[in-house]
């Protein structure tokens, strides 16, 4: 019974998040436009990670086997 009540409480609290557009606090402005930008970015643009911050995963599989080319610098150690 206690588990059911705890689960219900957790479920209710997890649904409390607001799903509306973000706005700066009253009396505060958005940060100034970055150097070289023509406009000030919107809050959603500021929250979106750049490709450099979160690179996309490459799932490219090896399609065909290729034999390695010889390496002229791969020499045995000198005695």
């Amino acid at each position: 019974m206690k588990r059911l009540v705890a689960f219900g409480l957790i479920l209710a609290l997890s649904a409390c998040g607001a799903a509306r557009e973000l706005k700066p606090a009253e009396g505060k402005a958005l940060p100034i436009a970055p150097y070289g930008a023509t406009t000030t970015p919107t809050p959603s643009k500021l929250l979106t990670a750049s490709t450099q911050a979160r690179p996309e995963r490459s799932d490219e599989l090896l399609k065909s086997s290729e034999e390695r080319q010889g390496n002229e610098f791969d020499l045995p150690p000198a005695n």
Side-chain angles (χ1 to χ4, degrees):
M1 181 68 175
K2 289 182 182 180
R3 289 182 184 176
L4 184 60
V5 171
F7 179 72
L9 183 62
I10 291 172
L11 184 62
L13 288 175
S14 67
C16 288
R20 56 181 174 248
E21 189 173 327
L22 295 174
K23 297 177 185 175
E26 287 187 36
K28 302 284 185 178
L30 288 174
I32 60 170
Y35 181 76
T38 55
T39 61
T40 302
T42 63
S44 60
K45 183 69 175 170
L46 289 171
L47 291 172
T48 305
S50 67
T51 306
Q52 186 174 5
R54 290 188 172 207
E56 293 181 9
R57 182 176 174 184
S58 174
D59 290 335
E60 183 177 329
L61 301 174
L62 182 63
K63 302 288 183 190
S64 61
S65 298
E66 296 178 6
E67 194 169 319
R68 280 191 188 181
Q69 297 179 358
N71 184 354
E72 61 188 73
F73 297 104
D74 187 19
L75 303 173
N79 289 333

